[in-house]
Amino acid sequence: MTFSPPERDWKYILKIKNDLLASLCTRINHESMDILREGKGSEYDRYRALYRHIEKSDRIIGDCFNDFKRSNLLMKLIHLQFHQILKDEHVANLSPETRAKLEALAAF
């Protein structure tokens, strides 16, 4: 049996989705600037480090936001929480059922 989060959770997450994405992108952009600012190695070394960072970041964005639909909301919430985008205050606004499911899955 699959878990389908209540509609109120879906509506709440849709409401904050753009803020979550903006928060993640801000973090990615700051990390990118840090890579370039560090000045370690050659220009090419910094380019390669930045490229690897962007590739990794793109996978995280995909895990958290691509194919964003209610039927896979629980998986998206798990990814958002794992990547520290979904904060405790966001989780507190979810239904008790969804919070319990997230807590059980976080134990793994």
Side-chain angles (χ1 to χ4, degrees), residues 5 13 31 40 44-45 65 84 100 104:
I13 294 299
E31 291 167 348
K40 293 181 181 174
Y44 182 68
D45 292 336
F65 295 101
Q84 302 172 346

Side-chain angles (χ1 to χ4, degrees), residues 11-21 86 90:
K11 287 181 178 180
Y12 170 69
I13 294 299
L14 279 180
K15 181 178 154 187
I16 65 169
K17 179 184 171 197
N18 288 337
D19 292 336
L20 296 173
L21 179 58
L86 192 68
H90 300 127

Side-chain angles (χ1 to χ4, degrees), residues 40-105:
K40 293 181 181 174
S42 68
E43 291 294 325
Y44 182 68
D45 292 336
R46 286 193 300 273
Y47 163 77
R48 292 293 299 157
L50 180 61
Y51 183 80
R52 285 189 300 274
H53 172 66
I54 294 297
E55 279 187 318
K56 178 182 148 206
S57 300
D58 194 49
R59 284 191 298 274
I60 293 170
I61 289 173
D63 288 345
C64 295
F65 295 101
N66 288 359
D67 198 29
F68 204 87
K69 54 189 177 185
R70 187 174 173 195
S71 63
N72 61 15
L73 179 61
L74 185 60
M75 185 57 66
K76 297 302 176 188
L77 292 173
I78 291 166
H79 284 292
L80 288 164
Q81 198 170 38
F82 178 78
H83 293 293
Q84 302 172 346
I85 304 159
L86 192 68
K87 304 295 183 193
D88 289 341
E89 58 267 21
H90 300 127
V91 174
N93 285 310
L94 298 172
S95 67
E97 302 90 356
T98 301
R99 286 195 312 265
K101 200 63 142 171
L102 283 173
E103 288 174 17
L105 292 168

